[in-house]
Amino acid sequence: MKKIDFILTGVGGQGTILASNVLTEVGLALGYDVKKAEVLGMSQRGGTVESHVRWGEKVYSPLIEQGEVDYLLGFEMLEAGRWPLYIKKGAMAIVNRYRIPPPAVNLGKAKYPREEEVESLLKTAAGRVLWIDAMKIAGDLGNPAVVGVILLGVLSLQVGGALDTWLEVVKRLVPAKYQELNEKAFLTGREIVAA
Amino acid sequence: MKKLMTGNEAIAYGAYLAGVRVGAAYPGTPSTEIMESFAKYPGVSSEWAPNEKVALDVGTGAAYAGTRALVAMKHVGVNVAADSLFYGVYTGLKGGLVIVTADDPDMHSSQNEQDNRNYARFAKLPMLEPADSEEAKQFVGLALDMSEKFDTPVMLRSVTRLSHSSSPVEMSAAAPPPLPAEPPLYDRNIPKYVMVPAYARQRHPVIEERLKKLAAYADSSPLNRLEPGNGSLGIIAAGVAYQYAREVFPEATFLKLGMVYPLPAKLIREFAARVQTILVVEELDPFFEEQIRLMGIDVRGKDVFPVTGELTPGLVRRYAAEAGLLEETDETTEVTTAAALAALPIRPPMLCPGCGHRGLFHVLREAGVVVLGDIGCYTLGAAPPLSALHTCGCMGASIGVAHGVARAGVKDRTVAVIGDSTFFHSGIHPLINVLYNNSSVTTIITDNSVTAMTGHQQHPGTGITLQGQQTKAVQLEKFVRSIGYEKVDVCDPYDMDNLAEVLTGHLKSEQPSVIIAARPCVLHIREKNKPPFVDPDECTDCGTCLELGCPPLMQEEDHVSIDPLLCNGCGICMQVCPVGAIIRE
């Protein structure tokens, strides 16, 4: 059983926690040993959020080492751009094409990196960077909160595992009244890459 | 069946399975979810105490009465509870008592990174440290057994990376032990439980004797285990540091400590005889290292790893390689990549959109006062661009520090700022001190009607208990008036003109005074008003609104805009715009 390490990163309030919970539960359902670690920072909203999710035969550390990440899931461009040192050579980054400027940028004291700059940073290690307009797709589906589930849909095709397993976990972890919406979001995510 | 649980959830589950009936805590990252999780189990009493000392007294009382009890707090909470910790070790107890300390190496959400293993040695009680969620569940039960067998409270240490990481836990089919058919009589034993000098003198030798027995127990306990490997390197580690070392040194021989105090001296000697080099992998203080050196055994430890910050598997590998204990890895970061990463703008935590504290700190900055601060969301008032809070040390410090500054005498005008939950935690005594010792300190209680920072917990002012029961709410205004404050005003920090006027009146007054800046946390009550927008033709791009440091306000090419998705519609920016360019339809 091959180990698979994931980092999910974004900004507080974007739904990275739910997505990392789904991913960890899917690993467990697929028969892996799993661990998940989160750093939430001090702020309820607006700070950097990172989750380490690990699947393997036997997982010791909840934290992933530099150069070991198999999949980076970026919910926000700048936050994704911070992780090239953690990405394994030739691994994949899946990034939501969406900007949330931090305070220094809003105050005009720093520049938000251009898409090419983020891509070139990630490409120092990543073999492939998949840009996903997840925020736009979520808007089309009627709820920006499903960004994470769209990205998980994209990821699921790369990682493998039975579709039923993924969907079962997604539906189990979201509120009952949003099950249908999230299922649709997940399947939309899978279709983008297939297309 | 296995279920994913965080370390905190597993601690609560373990306590439930082991028959704990009484739990008490004060919220504090990374410990908060322990008592929240425990509160959901049937047949238990789980409470928020006003502070950690009260929580520990409650747990101790339950244990005196013969019931198993769980008390949880963050590392600095143990400082608050320390007085109670020490007497409990002297008296012992009847039912098991577990005190969880959740340490925060690297200070993800704390003012310091003290290593609370030192408390075990200081207060002379045993301490266990689990390394994953399954162990967290099991260790709570073992700690309770140990507590009853040796007649002592037992500490269980977690760290952020255990409390806030998830791993599978085996679910138990067995129900917790049933309650006795009839409530027992209280066991009255004056010499054991009344710590006046004459009786306390009798107890101290009991503690020393107990520690010897615990050390002997440590040598044979399954909590400590030897894991054979290949080669000459032996590693001694506990908790998450063990997990990191396990990953970096797959071939080494390990002594995995589950009981971190007292140490198993015999086992450590046996281990030392099996390996050539011993490496102690531990975060923060050289707690194991110093004790093992005192046994006359040479080890490597803090000459390899730092005393500051937390470890990660990557750091363990790097420091071990630098010390020649591992082959150097060939990973070299391109200088250009490192420079590009360092140039990325940081994203510090900040006050949420719609937070009432923003209005308060804008007013305080405009007033030019020195703000003696405290611990809570409002500590973020120190962050730029607000930069309007000037001290933060520990829970409840603000008012006492303000009084001291007033006594010393400075030209500046000063105020103390403290949150509602922090006020109930440890602000009451210093508020009384201001009256008693007669200074003109103005205390501002930022009342957002919840313990917001740690994720919205109830407190004595909210009228709701941890388990959701309605209760008497302590009214802040009535309370401060009742202790003798005469100049008291309640203001809405959204209404900044009024707040500024009230503040001016208080600063001019020679009386000790209190302003309650009351506005519920918008995240807690889920309030959202219609976002205003910026008329780009009217906006002069002066930057005044940006000085509020509110996330939805963004600098565009030649004007400011508001992201309606992020905006909470509080209208504070509309009040500061000098040209009225921010409007709401």
Side-chain angles (χ1 to χ4, degrees):
Chain A
M1 201 172 241
K2 177 164 106 26
K3 72 101 192 161
I4 310 181
D5 287 334
F6 309 86
I7 280 182
L8 293 80
T9 182
V11 175
Q14 276 197 297
T16 52
I17 309 273
L18 171 69
S20 59
N21 286 344
V22 169
L23 194 52
T24 317
E25 293 277 2
V26 168
L28 193 64
L30 292 175
Y32 288 90
D33 185 23
V34 293
K35 275 196 177 141
K36 178 192 71 163
E38 267 150 5
V39 168
L40 310 171
M42 282 214 314
S43 141
Q44 288 282 321
R45 293 281 187 278
T48 296
V49 184
E50 63 174 78
S51 290
H52 297 226
V53 176
R54 313 197 65 187
W55 298 1
E57 180 82 39
K58 166 78 188 159
V59 180
Y60 288 107
S61 166
L63 296 175
I64 305 168
E65 273 191 67
Q66 287 197 2
E68 290 294 323
V69 170
D70 299 280
Y71 297 95
L72 175 75
L73 213 55
F75 285 55
E76 199 270 350
M77 289 168 56
L78 168 61
E79 294 311 318
R82 300 188 199 279
W83 293 92
L85 302 183
Y86 278 77
I87 300 172
K88 191 196 277 176
K89 283 276 176 231
M92 177 179 282
I94 298 167
V95 186
N96 181 19
R97 189 182 274 119
Y98 183 65
R99 292 179 174 80
I100 302 177
V105 172
N106 283 345
L107 289 166
K109 287 177 181 158
K111 263 184 58 198
Y112 193 98
R114 287 176 291 116
E115 183 174 322
E116 304 85 84
E117 288 172 308
V118 173
E119 170 139 350
S120 110
L121 267 174
L122 292 172
K123 281 255 170 101
T124 53
R128 224 176 134 198
V129 180
L130 279 184
W131 290 97
I132 309 292
D133 286 307
M135 195 63 184
K136 190 178 162 296
I137 298 162
D140 293 345
L141 288 171
N143 193 332
V146 297
V147 161
V149 173
I150 294 169
L151 293 175
L152 283 176
V154 175
L155 177 70
S156 68
L157 269 191
Q158 309 298 326
V159 174
L163 173 61
D164 287 352
T165 307
W166 284 88
L167 277 180
E168 183 275 318
V169 175
V170 168
K171 288 202 255 181
R172 176 151 53 88
L173 266 59
V174 301
K177 62 174 176 173
Y178 294 121
Q179 279 182 357
E180 207 176 312
L181 173 70
N182 278 284
E183 179 170 0
K184 212 167 141 192
F186 186 82
L187 294 174
T188 311
R190 283 172 79 93
E191 282 158 20
I192 307 166
V193 196
Chain B
M1 194 194 72
K2 283 186 175 176
K3 200 180 154 192
L4 266 182
M5 284 192 188
T6 63
N8 283 347
E9 289 166 345
I11 289 169
Y13 182 52
Y16 169 68
L17 288 180
V20 171
R21 302 280 173 189
V22 176
Y26 180 78
T29 312
S31 71
T32 311
E33 302 82 5
I34 296 170
M35 211 46 68
E36 285 182 322
S37 306
F38 183 66
K40 292 175 186 148
Y41 289 104
V44 305
S45 161
S46 179
E47 301 178 347
W48 290 134
N51 65 33
E52 294 86 353
K53 181 190 157 40
V54 176
L56 183 46
D57 290 333
V58 169
T60 303
Y64 280 178
T67 294
R68 288 189 158 188
L70 174 76
V71 176
M73 58 198 69
K74 69 182 293 172
H75 61 318
V76 286
V78 181
N79 301 342
V80 177
D83 225 2
S84 303
L85 178 68
F86 280 70
Y87 80 70
V89 174
Y90 266 61
T91 61
L93 28 74
K94 196 167 174 217
L97 173 62
V98 171
I99 304 156
V100 181
T101 169
D103 294 9
D104 190 18
D106 224 35
M107 297 170 274
H108 298 286
S109 190
S110 303
Q111 71 267 37
N112 75 12
E113 54 180 349
Q114 68 190 41
D115 186 336
N116 273 10
R117 292 178 300 172
N118 292 301
Y119 266 113
R121 190 157 46 165
F122 190 16
K124 302 180 187 246
L125 79 167
M127 180 183 274
L128 312 187
E129 183 170 357
D132 59 25
S133 297
E134 175 62 30
E135 281 193 356
K137 175 198 78 178
Q138 292 176 11
F139 281 20
V140 176
L142 293 169
L144 287 158
D145 293 345
M146 192 186 292
S147 174
E148 286 164 5
K149 183 175 173 197
F150 292 93
D151 190 22
T152 176
V154 176
M155 288 183 90
L156 184 90
R157 181 184 189 239
S158 176
V159 293
T160 302
R161 300 304 186 172
L162 176 75
S163 282
H164 285 174
S165 71
S166 302
S167 57
V169 170
E170 194 62 55
M171 300 305 284
S172 168
L179 278 173
E182 259 190 60
L185 280 174
Y186 187 87
D187 188 12
R188 304 171 201 206
N189 184 343
I190 290 173
K192 184 170 186 282
Y193 291 107
V194 179
M195 287 305 95
V196 293
Y199 295 142
R201 270 182 220 118
Q202 291 171 24
R203 293 297 297 173
H204 189 182
V206 174
I207 293 162
E208 300 301 330
E209 206 46 47
R210 179 201 291 156
L211 275 180
K212 283 184 196 151
K213 287 181 193 153
L214 281 161
Y217 171 81
D219 272 323
S220 59
S221 166
L223 284 161
N224 301 319
R225 70 170 183 258
L226 203 144
E227 298 175 354
N230 307 313
S232 58
L233 179 67
I235 291 178
I236 299 179
V240 291
Y242 159 80
Q243 305 285 16
Y244 304 153
R246 238 322 133 218
E247 190 144 320
V248 175
F249 299 98
E251 298 295 308
T253 301
F254 274 77
L255 178 56
K256 195 266 185 199
L257 298 175
M259 188 163 169
V260 298
Y261 192 80
L263 288 183
K266 199 166 135 246
L267 193 59
I268 290 170
R269 286 185 206 287
E270 282 170 22
F271 181 73
R274 288 174 74 121
V275 296
Q276 271 171 21
T277 309
I278 297 180
L279 177 66
V280 179
V281 184
E282 57 188 332
E283 290 177 316
L284 302 180
D285 292 346
F287 184 75
F288 298 150
E289 182 183 347
E290 285 179 352
Q291 292 179 76
I292 297 168
R293 282 182 189 281
L294 280 174
M295 295 172 195
I297 298 166
D298 192 29
V299 298
R300 303 200 64 182
K302 291 299 163 183
D303 60 321
V304 178
F305 303 110
V307 177
T308 56
E310 66 178 356
L311 293 173
T312 64
L315 285 176
V316 170
R317 188 182 304 282
R318 197 178 98 199
Y319 290 121
E322 283 170 11
L325 294 160
L326 267 182
E327 299 266 318
E328 288 278 355
T329 48
D330 58 349
E331 59 174 79
T332 46
T333 307
E334 278 180 67
V335 180
T336 45
T337 306
L341 286 176
L344 291 176
I346 57 161
R347 193 186 299 277
M350 54 199 307
L351 293 173
C352 304
C355 179
H357 300 334
R358 183 173 282 106
L360 171 67
F361 283 108
H362 176 76
V363 168
L364 291 172
R365 184 180 57 192
E366 294 300 300
V369 293
V370 175
V371 176
L372 293 320
D374 225 297
I375 301 235
C377 293
Y378 48 93
T379 314
L380 293 169
L386 285 165
S387 307
L389 178 136
H390 306 101
T391 63
C392 164
C394 73
M395 293 288 285
S398 56
I399 306 172
V401 170
H403 180 75
V405 170
R407 274 284 167 272
V410 290
K411 203 171 170 187
D412 316 60
R413 292 176 304 168
T414 60
V415 299
V417 167
I418 185 168
D420 47 343
S421 188
T422 309
F423 178 73
F424 289 120
H425 179 281
S426 47
I428 292 171
H429 289 91
L431 196 73
I432 292 172
N433 179 56
V434 168
L435 269 186
Y436 173 55
N437 285 307
N438 198 24
S439 68
S440 61
V441 166
T442 295
T443 296
I444 301 174
I445 304 176
T446 60
D447 177 15
N448 60 7
S449 304
V450 75
T451 314
M453 182 79 151
T454 44
H456 303 119
Q457 287 75 33
Q458 304 295 339
H459 65 59
T462 65
I464 301 168
T465 68
L466 169 54
Q467 289 183 306
Q469 274 112 23
Q470 299 287 322
T471 184
K472 274 229 184 290
V474 179
Q475 309 285 330
L476 281 173
E477 186 186 359
K478 274 190 192 166
F479 177 79
V480 297
R481 285 191 189 281
S482 75
I483 59 173
Y485 277 83
E486 286 163 7
K487 192 166 178 59
V488 180
D489 281 292
V490 181
C491 300
D492 179 357
Y494 274 8
D495 184 351
M496 295 192 292
D497 286 345
N498 176 56
L499 179 59
E501 198 182 310
V502 169
L503 177 67
T504 306
H506 279 248
L507 292 173
K508 278 185 185 152
S509 159
E510 293 299 311
Q511 276 180 289
S513 70
V514 173
I515 300 172
I516 298 165
R519 170 57 66 169
C521 169
V522 290
L523 289 188
H524 183 51
I525 60 167
R526 296 173 180 275
E527 182 182 87
K528 188 170 165 129
N529 293 307
K530 192 177 162 63
F533 62 92
V534 178
D535 181 342
D537 297 330
E538 294 296 322
C539 176
T540 60
D541 208 19
C542 67
T544 308
C545 60
L546 294 176
E547 291 299 314
L548 291 169
C550 193
L553 290 163
M554 295 187 193
Q555 178 69 59
E556 304 283 348
E557 197 69 9
D558 61 352
H559 66 278
V560 172
S561 73
I562 295 173
D563 182 339
L565 273 181
L566 294 175
C567 178
N568 197 267
C570 69
I572 285 178
C573 58
M574 298 169 69
Q575 296 175 53
V576 302
C577 178
V579 294
I582 307 178
I583 39 190
R584 185 151 39 195
E585 271 171 353

